[in-house]
Amino acid sequence: MSFVEYSEVIQDSDVAIIYLGHNSVMPVKVQHGAQTQTRYGVIRHSSDLIGQRYGSKVTCSKGGWVYVLHPTPELWTVSLPHRTQILYTTDIATITMMLDLKPGSVVCESGTGSGSLSHAILRTIAPTGHLHTVEFHQQRAEKAAEEFREHRVSHLVTVRNQDVCKDGFGVMGVADAIFLDIPSPWEAVGHAKAALKKHGGRLCSFSPCIEQVQKTAEALTDHGFEEINTLEVLLRVHDVRTVSLPLPDFGPDCSAHPEPDAMEAPPPAPSQTSINIKTTTPPRELPGHTGYLTFATKPRT
Amino acid sequence: MADNGDDEDHYRIKEGDYVVLKRGDIYKSVQILPKKKVIFEKQWIFLDNVVGCLYGNTFEIRSGGGLQLQNTKTTESPPDSKVAGTDNRNIIDDGKSQKLTKDDIEKLKDQGLKGQEIIQQLIENSATFSNKTEYAQDKYIKKKKKKYENTVTVLRPTCRILAMMYHGREPGKICHLRYDTLAQMLTLANIHANSKVLVFETCAGLVLGSIMERMGGHGTVVQMFPGGGPVRAGVESFGFPAHFYETLHEFPICHLNALEAGILDTFAKAPDAGEKESNMTAEEEDVLPGADPQGDSPEEQRMETVSADDKVQDQKKQEEEKRREAKAQEKKVKQEEKQRKLAAAAARLDGRNADGLVIASRFHPCPVLLRLLRFLSPSRPFVVYSQYLEPLIECYTKLKEQGGAVSLKLTDTWLRHYQDIVPAERPEFSRNSPPTRGRDCCRGVAPPPLKSSFISDVVLRLFHVLNPLYKNKIFTKNP
């Protein structure tokens, strides 16, 4: 198991994802002799997990069952322990494509936060790329580094505990892409420019407030970035359901001339009272605003 | 480590490269071929001069279509940049504000004036320009730039650029797949290096190419295709190195039944059976089954009774015979190659252990999905795109009924672009203004509302699904 490569069978010290039901997933550190409590009962790692195929159904002690899934960054995003507000897959997917990320890309990121985006980046840039991630909070930086180790991706990432606005990313002229998710991204633009390759690269800044976006865009222009554009992506989920629509009753058929052979025909069957249709309904609440994504290109210098 | 001059070569444009031409929001994918005329935004250009230049360079289009590297960044603001009005109450739209006529402008063009210089002239000869508000001035300049700018930038193709290009130019070819939806698909399907991905798409190869880009030449991609042959024009536009294609396989869905019944090999050996992919001409078809040069063909028998006068004709016949043999041999080699490829693709599928499945086509997704799911390992994601909602509702419903998939979600993404956060045409202004103040604080006016265009046009339906499970197991209900 690793977050950048699939495997078939669950092994000791893997991180697996337990699927409990719709929208309910939890990560589990697989260990000989360990047990995990779920609402369906206890899962015994040695007998229920180790040696089983990923994707299997596991019956818990109370008799209920769950599925064990191979971890992916997307599953991690919805199951990881939050230390900060995180980025969700919708934004992550947009960022990945708009920054032209692919195997071999070198990326600088700040702040690491809870590592949601970090894992997605690592998956995309493996096996030949590298992620330099900067987090100014010491415990969070340490926790992130620990998780990267457990997820078998630490060879692809360097975590630095420093303030990106003061000290930059710790590298110069190596990055293909920069990602900023900090309160004052305009203060880091200069460092971002220095970290990017001489040949140019892409940059993305994520900010919840439009005022932050304006300031960042101005800083980007001042530093010679081009193709500055800001966008927002929202995900709408459709609930598939069967809906029963009643048919109106206009009263019995009142035609004046009965047919001569009407006596032979059987009386008409009672008409349908409703029609079932399969359709989708939008969710009750509109999707929430996460943040604005500002992209830019650093030209060759 | 900073990069050195050695990898400069990697950033230089070479002949034969696939590039993307760009001006503003307009993109076009072309191949750099010598002396080839290319049409871009209603202008004919020759790309010869870009060879040897660096990717990202911008070129001026000279008269005659040749390209010249733009030396300096000619983005000086017009001299009146600091003079602007506050509103348009006194601006009368009588069509007489511009002193230059169409002919005047043509003359300027003929004189060889660059786009930027023409715009400068238009501004100086406009009676109302200095009365416009800053925003109106920006809008005016932007509009004129679009019309008179004569530059083109040469970019290296990427999934982002090509997806935006296809969506802007030929959305019908890609089933109207919007680029942000494509982005979601690539991530949700967990496309990454060293995995095995099955693709079924009729999006001109854009989806396939994007997947290949995200795999970086590591792993395996098997393209399932309908009909005679896989469409891959879009893949070429990515300009992948040759070794990427070693990871790419293709398998015709018309052989799927045979594959699953285990009789694919024998089926494919028959020369006429199902070989719709072969480019047989009628003539060659006649030659192939009967072209047995070792046998006593009628030609050979005739040659025995030939007279001296017919010797020339004989020679001709012999040469023709040789050509036919050569063709038959070529045909044989091609067929063997095709067999080999088919077998290789079949071998990739036989394990039923693909790591990902992506479907994006004009076909009804339901039968495709239910069929191809069989080739997916347990605990692996799949994604289905459809332009329309109802077919995906059917997929969702059928999957729920038959079981074997969890975390099914039917979603679509909405995208909104924000314009004019900072107008790039006025670098002087933003440089001179005090850093802490916003654009309009010096005039005591509230910031204007940001323009945005909410793209919800073709309401795209993305079927977001995670993780099919162990398929052939008996599911017992929860007690």
Side-chain angles (χ1 to χ4, degrees):
Chain A
M1 178 250 33
S2 103
F3 273 56
V4 298
E5 204 161 332
Y6 281 119
S7 57
E8 300 281 302
V9 173
I10 306 170
Q11 290 172 338
D12 183 38
S13 83
D14 278 3
V15 171
I17 307 289
I18 306 290
Y19 180 88
L20 298 155
H22 201 58
N23 285 336
S24 182
V25 285
M26 63 184 255
V28 142
K29 266 185 252 190
V30 180
Q31 260 176 325
H32 267 299
Q35 288 186 346
T36 301
Q37 276 290 352
T38 74
R39 72 176 90 112
Y40 300 116
V42 174
I43 299 174
R44 294 184 176 81
H45 294 205
S46 301
S47 53
D48 298 331
L49 295 181
I50 298 177
Q52 301 298 327
R53 274 196 86 167
Y54 278 106
S56 306
K57 200 196 269 197
V58 170
T59 310
C60 309
S61 62
K62 279 194 214 157
W65 43 260
V66 297
Y67 287 105
V68 188
L69 303 176
H70 194 287
T72 67
E74 288 62 58
L75 283 172
W76 181 249
T77 290
V78 294
S79 64
L80 66 88
H82 286 216
R83 284 91 70 181
T84 60
Q85 175 59 282
I86 65 168
L87 280 183
Y88 289 92
T89 301
T90 313
D91 287 315
I92 291 173
T94 309
I95 293 163
T96 306
M97 186 176 89
M98 300 297 276
L99 287 181
D100 296 333
L101 299 187
K102 54 185 190 267
S105 294
V106 177
V107 186
C108 291
E109 168 198 35
S110 188
T112 316
S114 309
S116 172
L117 174 66
S118 314
H119 280 86
I121 293 175
L122 287 165
R123 173 267 315 274
T124 302
I125 64 178
T128 42
H130 202 83
L131 172 66
H132 298 276
T133 188
V134 173
E135 170 59 50
F136 64 4
H137 189 281
Q138 191 185 359
Q139 276 91 355
R140 288 204 290 262
E142 282 168 11
K143 184 75 184 146
E146 189 188 312
E147 280 176 352
F148 294 139
R149 268 191 305 273
E150 285 170 7
H151 301 166
R152 318 245 170 84
V153 294
S154 48
H155 58 291
L156 294 166
V157 58
T158 306
V159 182
R160 288 181 176 85
N161 176 213
Q162 61 198 45
D163 181 348
V164 69
C165 298
K166 294 208 188 77
D167 309 312
F169 292 94
V171 288
M172 305 273 277
V174 300
D176 297 296
I178 308 270
F179 179 77
L180 294 168
D181 179 3
I182 55 177
S184 312
W186 53 91
E187 293 177 16
V189 170
H191 292 293
K193 187 176 179 184
L196 281 168
K197 283 184 175 151
K198 171 180 97 149
H199 306 287
R202 295 281 290 164
L203 178 141
C204 175
S205 173
F206 175 86
S207 295
C209 305
I210 203 70
E211 294 82 4
Q212 294 170 302
V213 172
Q214 285 176 303
K215 279 187 170 169
T216 307
E218 219 172 296
L220 288 169
T221 311
D222 288 348
H223 281 86
F225 282 82
E226 295 173 348
E227 297 184 316
I228 302 166
N229 70 307
T230 300
L231 50 94
E232 183 182 6
V233 196
L234 303 169
L235 185 77
R236 194 171 64 158
V237 181
H238 298 264
D239 266 326
V240 178
R241 48 187 58 188
T242 311
V243 165
S244 185
L245 301 173
L247 291 170
D249 176 14
F250 296 119
D253 193 16
C254 300
S255 37
H257 316 283
E259 294 287 306
D261 56 348
M263 305 299 283
E264 294 161 31
S271 54
Q272 283 178 289
T273 49
S274 63
I275 290 183
N276 286 348
I277 55 165
K278 261 238 177 296
T279 183
T280 64
T281 56
R284 252 206 236 140
E285 285 170 352
L286 292 169
H289 167 80
T290 53
Y292 303 100
L293 291 165
T294 303
F295 294 96
T297 306
K298 191 200 90 147
R300 140 187 310 274
T301 44
Chain B
M1 289 174 296
D3 22 36
N4 48 30
D6 287 338
D7 48 14
E8 278 280 307
D9 195 53
H10 171 65
Y11 295 94
R12 290 205 180 275
I13 304 168
K14 297 180 197 60
E15 199 178 287
D17 275 0
Y18 282 90
V19 304
V20 176
L21 304 177
K22 168 180 148 75
R23 181 191 295 165
D25 285 330
I26 312 291
Y27 299 90
K28 181 170 179 162
S29 171
V30 294
Q31 191 183 14
I32 308 283
L33 294 169
K35 300 196 177 62
K36 181 153 183 266
K37 237 193 211 183
V38 164
I39 187 165
F40 180 67
E41 287 301 281
K42 297 187 187 150
Q43 286 180 293
W44 288 107
I45 56 178
F46 293 95
L47 297 167
D48 300 65
N49 291 349
V50 312
V51 176
C53 295
L54 296 163
Y55 276 102
N57 280 157
T58 302
F59 300 83
E60 293 266 349
I61 303 176
R62 308 261 87 180
S63 57
L67 293 179
Q68 186 179 57
L69 189 56
Q70 206 180 44
N71 282 323
T72 47
K73 284 220 66 160
T74 50
T75 51
E76 305 104 35
S77 300
D80 297 338
S81 61
K82 304 228 175 69
V83 180
T86 47
D87 54 44
N88 66 0
R89 71 183 83 197
N90 293 322
I91 297 180
I92 298 165
D93 185 10
D94 55 9
K96 297 189 194 139
S97 315
Q98 179 56 245
K99 286 186 221 128
L100 296 177
T101 64
K102 216 171 173 179
D103 292 331
D104 291 333
I105 297 170
E106 285 300 313
K107 274 192 216 138
L108 291 177
K109 270 192 190 167
D110 291 335
Q111 279 170 25
L113 244 65
K114 294 193 195 140
Q116 188 72 25
E117 293 160 349
I118 292 178
I119 295 171
Q120 189 88 333
Q121 287 293 311
L122 287 168
I123 290 173
E124 283 170 13
N125 283 288
S126 163
T128 49
F129 187 84
S130 48
N131 294 334
K132 290 181 196 264
T133 65
E134 267 176 55
Y135 303 102
Q137 288 178 350
D138 289 341
K139 193 171 166 182
Y140 181 89
I141 293 171
K142 213 171 182 177
K143 191 168 144 194
K144 296 304 173 194
K145 248 192 177 168
K146 220 173 173 183
K147 195 167 178 189
Y148 294 107
E149 198 155 61
N150 223 18
T151 59
V152 62
T153 308
V154 179
L155 298 175
R156 193 189 289 283
T158 69
C159 162
R160 163 182 63 98
I161 293 170
L162 291 171
M164 296 204 295
M165 178 192 84
Y166 268 103
H167 187 258
R169 294 183 86 89
E170 296 171 303
K173 280 199 173 160
I174 56 168
C175 303
H176 294 265
L177 175 63
R178 209 174 57 211
Y179 48 92
D180 59 301
T181 307
L182 176 60
Q184 301 298 316
M185 289 164 67
L186 294 170
T187 292
L188 290 168
N190 194 17
I191 306 294
H192 62 279
N194 290 320
S195 56
K196 185 194 293 188
V197 181
L198 298 187
V199 190
F200 181 83
E201 62 115 295
T202 59
C203 296
L206 173 66
V207 174
L208 176 61
S210 305
I211 290 172
M212 286 173 73
E213 185 182 272
R214 293 279 272 259
M215 291 176 66
H218 307 273
T220 308
V221 184
V222 182
Q223 182 188 10
M224 315 293 290
F225 62 92
V231 178
R232 288 198 186 143
V235 180
E236 273 179 6
S237 304
F238 280 81
F240 292 131
H243 75 270
F244 272 49
Y245 289 89
E246 290 164 24
T247 64
L248 177 60
H249 301 263
E250 59 275 355
F251 192 87
I253 57 170
C254 60
H255 286 348
L256 258 185
N257 277 336
L259 176 69
E260 290 194 284
I263 57 170
L264 176 68
D265 276 346
T266 48
F267 183 86
K269 271 195 183 117
D272 305 314
E275 291 288 356
K276 295 173 197 130
E277 310 95 59
S278 62
N279 303 320
M280 280 187 193
T281 62
E283 182 198 355
E284 287 174 322
E285 232 167 345
D286 285 337
V287 171
L288 182 57
D292 196 1
Q294 294 135 13
D296 275 332
S297 62
E299 282 93 352
E300 286 193 326
Q301 288 171 1
R302 259 186 269 123
M303 280 202 283
E304 288 170 19
T305 54
V306 84
S307 71
D309 295 329
D310 294 325
K311 259 205 182 142
V312 173
Q313 267 213 343
D314 286 348
Q315 264 199 329
K316 266 195 183 168
K317 280 193 185 144
Q318 277 186 355
E319 284 169 11
E320 220 183 276
E321 184 71 33
K322 276 197 190 136
R323 255 182 278 131
R324 281 219 195 110
E325 281 174 38
K327 260 191 185 166
Q329 187 60 26
E330 228 182 270
K331 191 82 226 148
K332 196 172 164 211
V333 166
K334 272 192 186 163
Q335 272 220 317
E336 280 170 4
E337 177 66 16
K338 208 161 260 178
Q339 300 284 62
R340 196 188 59 77
K341 280 192 167 176
L342 188 68
R348 299 290 180 292
L349 292 172
D350 260 336
R352 318 269 163 127
N353 57 3
D355 297 313
L357 171 62
V358 177
I359 297 173
S361 78
R362 62 181 189 275
F363 285 76
H364 197 301
C366 206
V368 181
L369 173 62
L370 294 176
R371 196 56 188 273
L372 296 182
L373 265 182
R374 300 185 208 178
F375 294 93
L376 203 52
S377 266
S379 187
R380 299 290 186 270
F382 57 95
V383 170
V384 181
Y385 163 76
S386 168
Q387 213 179 328
Y388 310 105
L389 179 58
E390 287 74 11
L392 291 181
I393 293 179
E394 212 180 298
C395 288
Y396 184 99
T397 311
K398 287 229 167 87
L399 275 176
K400 281 279 191 195
E401 281 167 20
Q402 95 178 5
V406 296
S407 197
L408 295 170
K409 282 201 194 73
L410 181 50
T411 64
D412 70 314
T413 45
W414 284 20
L415 177 72
R416 175 191 248 160
H417 274 277
Y418 289 86
Q419 296 177 27
D420 298 338
I421 300 285
V422 170
E425 291 87 0
R426 315 193 119 256
E428 270 191 2
F429 182 85
S430 58
R431 260 184 250 122
N432 290 339
S433 69
T436 50
R437 280 196 270 166
R439 292 191 61 222
D440 296 291
C441 289
C442 50
R443 292 210 305 272
V445 172
L450 292 159
K451 281 188 271 188
S452 68
S453 51
F454 200 90
I455 301 172
S456 65
D457 45 20
V458 189
V459 192
L460 297 168
R461 305 302 174 171
L462 172 66
F463 193 43
H464 154 196
V465 177
L466 288 179
N467 307 316
L469 301 176
Y470 227 45
K471 289 166 290 301
N472 45 344
K473 293 310 134 217
I474 310 132
F475 296 134
T476 51
K477 290 277 177 195
N478 255 338

